[in-house]
Amino acid sequence: MLARILRSSRRGMRGFSGMISTADVEVRSLDNWLTQFQGYASKYFIVNGFRMEGPLVAYPNMVTYWNTGKTVEDITPESLSFLEPIASELEVLIIGTGKSTEMLSEETIAWLEERNIGFDAVPSMTACAQFNFMSEEYRRVVACILPVAISFILEINHVVNVTCELAGADTL
């Protein structure tokens, strides 16, 4: 594991012609290091030894906070607009949807298809593994990942609200 963390790759962003402009985010540049998800918990990820909370965008050699909401409904064309400069060069976009697989909105799917961006929407833990595998192969991949707990919390709230409604009580 340590060897994998310390291994350097000069090919990480090769093929992307433009840098990404992400306003309102902190970018953690990994210089020539390969981005690797090493773990995750309910609200954060461990990326190359750094604990990073909230939604993330990972590129082969950098990771940044993703300025989006906390649910799949918040993944919109606007929240993905930072991909426009590299859309033609991107091999695949991996979207981590939280605890479980969730469908993107029809509007978001149409936006991705108009730009010929191939994507895979999967649970966040699967997205981390897919990103690691593809970036190790030096593929032009970007991962947009929601934390795992967000979906879980929403599921609990939904169950509580439905249970309250069935019992004739007000929802939370």
Side-chain angles (χ1 to χ4, degrees), residues 8-122:
S8 175
S9 165
R10 301 216 178 266
R11 297 185 282 177
M13 286 294 283
R14 192 176 77 192
F16 287 116
S17 62
M19 283 307 290
I20 311 308
S21 172
T22 52
D24 302 327
V25 295
E26 174 188 333
V27 174
R28 190 153 320 249
S29 174
L30 302 172
D31 297 317
N32 291 323
W33 295 84
L34 190 63
T35 303
Q36 290 288 285
F37 286 91
Q38 297 166 316
Y40 55 87
S42 61
K43 297 180 184 178
Y44 66 88
F45 301 93
I46 305 294
V47 183
N48 288 38
F50 296 103
R51 178 182 165 154
M52 300 184 73
E53 294 190 19
L56 299 179
V57 176
Y59 304 92
N61 71 342
M62 74 175 176
V63 63
T64 179
Y65 289 102
W66 186 16
N67 191 16
T68 190
K70 298 178 180 180
T71 67
V72 173
E73 290 80 23
D74 297 318
I75 300 174
T76 63
E78 183 178 295
S79 73
L80 296 171
S81 64
F82 64 90
L83 294 171
E84 293 253 20
I86 62 168
S88 64
E89 301 173 44
L90 185 61
E91 284 184 57
V92 67
L93 170 65
I94 301 170
I95 301 173
T97 58
K99 182 177 180 260
S100 59
T101 302
E102 308 239 358
M103 288 294 296
L104 300 176
S105 71
E106 289 181 20
E107 176 188 16
T108 301
I109 292 171
W111 186 88
L112 291 166
E113 288 174 347
E114 285 171 12
R115 285 148 187 82
N116 294 317
I117 298 175
F119 69 94
D120 193 10
V122 295

Side-chain angles (χ1 to χ4, degrees), residues 97-156:
T97 58
K99 182 177 180 260
S100 59
T101 302
E102 308 239 358
M103 288 294 296
L104 300 176
S105 71
E106 289 181 20
E107 176 188 16
T108 301
I109 292 171
W111 186 88
L112 291 166
E113 288 174 347
E114 285 171 12
R115 285 148 187 82
N116 294 317
I117 298 175
F119 69 94
D120 193 10
V122 295
S124 292
M125 40 270 190
T126 303
C128 291
Q130 282 182 342
F131 176 83
N132 285 350
F133 180 78
M134 293 184 81
S135 66
E136 283 180 351
E137 291 186 333
Y138 306 109
R139 306 272 300 271
R140 292 174 300 200
V141 59
V142 172
C144 298
I145 304 181
L146 297 175
V148 175
I150 304 303
S151 294
F152 181 68
I153 291 167
L154 291 173
E155 288 173 17
I156 289 173

